[in-house]
Amino acid sequence: MEDVLAVYQLPHDPLYPVVCMDESNKQLVGEIHAPIPAVPGHGHILDHEYVRNGVATLFVEVEPLAGRRHVEVTERRTRQDWARFIKAMLDERYPQAVKVRLVMDNLNTHDIASLYETFAPAEARRLAERLEIHYTPKHGSWLNIAEIELSALNGQCLRRRIPSSQEMRNEIAAWQSDRNHRGAPVNWRFTTKDARIKLTRLYPKL
């Protein structure tokens, strides 16, 4: 826990950016009957029946101090999907970074081994050398700022029926563009000092 909190106290450095990453899933839901559009006297009406169109996976990254985020929608959440997301992050979104200080949970796909299972050894090593990984502790995913971004995404963009992955990508792209344009940073206030006072029960009794 204190390792992650120490990372959040670092000043903004484009060469060593702090980036938080998380993933989630979202049910794709289509309509059986066409919705009734809003008219004077009643709002938009949806039928209670719907059809399940599968599940989409969301990969989310956010740079808290820069107020920049990126979301990708995939069909799966395999090691290869994570590895390709990380490669794009390093080579396309942070090409100038010497190392990306990556904060994430310790899901079994979130490790260097995934890079080696996806790319040739030399490429996997190149990518791994540009990562400085900081894992949130078990049952401590609330320390991951990317969860805040996921909550905003769900509340502002995805709280309705979306029938397909492509429509979800379009909606998220518009949300992401607007949020990045506004440059909404995350002001993390919980420090190591706070943890030692408020979460003293989690520390060993010496």
Side-chain angles (χ1 to χ4, degrees):
M1 175 176 63
E2 291 193 1
D3 174 62
V4 173
L5 293 175
V7 170
Y8 288 165
Q9 295 302 304
L10 296 173
H12 181 246
D13 185 346
L15 296 180
Y16 294 87
V18 173
V19 177
C20 301
M21 177 267 162
D22 200 6
E23 60 182 83
S24 183
N25 56 66
K26 180 71 176 177
Q27 180 78 48
L28 299 172
V29 177
E31 304 291 351
I32 293 178
H33 305 288
I36 299 175
V39 297
H42 71 75
H44 187 73
I45 299 176
L46 297 176
D47 192 89
H48 70 279
E49 289 189 285
Y50 59 88
V51 59
R52 297 179 185 272
N53 293 330
V55 177
T57 295
L58 307 177
F59 286 90
V60 178
E61 75 183 43
V62 56
E63 186 182 354
L65 296 180
R68 181 168 67 176
R69 70 274 306 142
H70 177 79
V71 184
E72 284 189 15
V73 179
T74 67
E75 306 297 329
R76 305 171 302 164
R77 49 165 297 274
T78 64
R79 285 185 176 273
Q80 289 72 31
D81 292 300
W82 180 83
R84 285 189 283 268
F85 180 81
I86 294 301
K87 176 178 169 59
M89 179 186 73
L90 293 171
D91 291 347
E92 298 173 18
R93 297 186 289 279
Y94 291 94
Q96 81 289 351
V98 176
K99 278 184 183 289
V100 170
R101 291 163 168 152
L102 184 61
V103 177
M104 58 184 175
D105 61 32
N106 56 2
L107 193 66
N108 64 336
T109 58
H110 294 175
D111 58 28
I112 299 302
S114 293
L115 299 177
Y116 280 90
E117 290 190 18
T118 307
F119 306 113
E123 176 68 355
R125 184 59 183 169
R126 180 186 72 84
L127 296 171
E129 288 180 338
R130 294 189 58 214
L131 290 175
E132 179 186 304
I133 297 176
H134 299 267
Y135 289 112
T136 57
K138 188 176 181 180
H139 306 305
S141 60
W142 58 272
L143 286 165
N144 190 346
I145 291 176
E147 284 207 353
I148 298 174
E149 202 64 29
L150 270 171
S151 178
L153 172 62
N154 281 310
Q156 298 172 7
C157 182
L158 303 181
R159 290 184 62 183
R160 60 183 183 82
R161 295 176 183 177
I162 299 178
S164 69
S165 294
Q166 187 55 55
E167 185 171 335
M168 183 173 288
R169 290 187 184 97
N170 295 341
E171 294 291 331
I172 290 175
W175 172 87
Q176 175 181 288
S177 176
D178 174 70
R179 197 157 164 82
N180 283 338
H181 181 72
R182 289 186 283 117
V186 178
N187 185 14
W188 182 268
R189 295 178 178 273
F190 193 75
T191 65
T192 300
K193 182 179 178 181
D194 296 323
R196 292 176 182 175
I197 296 171
K198 298 179 180 180
L199 300 178
T200 184
R201 69 186 185 282
L202 300 180
Y203 287 82
K205 306 300 181 185
L206 302 179

